[in-house]
Amino acid sequence: MDSLTLYIGNKNYSSWSFRPWIAMEATGIPFEEILIPFDFPAGNPRIREISPTGRVPVLFHGSLRVWESLSIIDYVSELYPEAGLWPKDRAQRAVARSVSMEMLSGFRALRGACPMNIRRARGKIALADGVMADVLRIETIFRDLRGRSGGPFLFGGFSAADAMFAPVVNRFDTYDLVTAGDTLSYMSAMKAHPAWQKWETAARAEPWIVPEDEV
């Protein structure tokens, strides 16, 4: 099998890169990482050389390019079904894909007001309309899924759904958005995962600053 190469952006800021990276790292899928930093005011022109959309992440597998985080996760789950990125049970798999798609397409108020920023000192900010409605909906997803699975992750073991919500965990923590014990328990499980800690360590060591993401 041809090797997998995942092109990503800054680990401190690139929420979309974080999703497939942690999905693959946490489940033992082998890949090479190539980081192209956002170190130009209008983005890095190198990204357009490798990405049809001009954005990262992009996965290369031989001559094939796969872009968009959830598509990458779904593709590698087919290559490595033993990694267990999606639940084995068909009904649970459908739910996992539903919440992953909800994360992909929704929660714009939260994402716009609270960019992922791992290095940022923890603290509250003034919130735009709709942010707390997004937070409450996400907390409901976490509560319902972990209540059914028993945790520690959304479907028991780490899954694609956890990868899709990983940047939200950072947002909840960084901007001090939640207080519920069950939400904090899930966040603690995510932040304790070795894959999370590997990403965080690298993010904190990065030299690049993107002013528009420094809320």
Side-chain angles (χ1 to χ4, degrees):
M1 182 187 295
D2 290 328
S3 60
L4 298 171
T5 302
L6 182 68
Y7 288 83
I8 62 173
N10 305 37
K11 289 183 175 177
N12 188 56
Y13 303 111
S14 186
S15 58
W16 292 107
S17 298
F18 191 19
R19 293 177 166 102
W21 187 97
I22 196 171
M24 296 166 73
E25 182 72 22
T27 56
I29 295 174
F31 67 101
E32 178 188 3
E33 164 198 320
I34 297 179
L35 191 153
I36 303 178
F38 306 145
D39 54 357
F40 291 79
N44 192 323
R46 286 180 57 208
I47 295 173
R48 292 205 170 273
E49 297 173 8
I50 56 95
S51 170
T53 64
R55 300 183 178 90
V56 286
V58 180
L59 181 76
F60 276 56
H61 186 209
S63 62
L64 175 67
R65 287 186 297 181
V66 185
W67 58 97
E68 300 294 342
S69 294
L70 189 54
S71 293
I72 293 169
I73 291 171
D74 209 38
Y75 181 72
V76 298
S77 77
E78 292 185 4
L79 292 178
Y80 293 91
E82 69 278 8
L85 275 168
W86 295 112
K88 290 182 180 180
D89 178 79
R90 183 174 61 184
Q92 290 301 297
R93 194 162 60 248
V95 173
R97 286 184 167 135
S98 293
V99 297
S100 295
M101 282 300 301
E102 187 175 355
M103 181 66 252
L104 178 73
S105 61
F107 310 121
R108 296 184 184 277
L110 172 64
R111 296 200 310 231
C114 303
M116 190 175 90
N117 187 339
I118 289 176
R119 289 194 306 258
R120 185 184 186 276
R122 189 169 185 265
K124 294 182 180 296
I125 61 170
L127 297 176
D129 291 344
V131 171
M132 288 312 298
D134 285 352
V135 170
L136 291 173
R137 169 59 189 152
I138 294 167
E139 285 197 278
T140 298
I141 291 171
F142 292 171
R143 185 170 297 119
D144 287 351
L145 295 179
R146 292 179 77 237
R148 283 183 240 164
S149 72
F153 301 106
L154 298 179
F155 291 88
F158 190 94
S159 73
D162 298 292
M164 288 300 294
F165 281 96
V168 162
V169 171
N170 171 256
R171 289 176 166 102
F172 281 7
D173 187 36
T174 296
Y175 301 98
D176 194 14
L177 294 174
V178 296
T179 60
D182 52 357
T183 302
L184 295 173
S185 172
Y186 174 60
M187 291 166 59
S188 293
M190 287 288 285
K191 292 187 295 179
H193 197 291
W196 178 291
Q197 294 183 353
K198 183 176 179 179
W199 178 280
E200 180 179 358
T201 297
R204 291 188 180 279
E206 289 179 346
W208 310 291
I209 295 175
V210 179
E212 56 265 36
D213 286 337
E214 292 292 332
V215 176

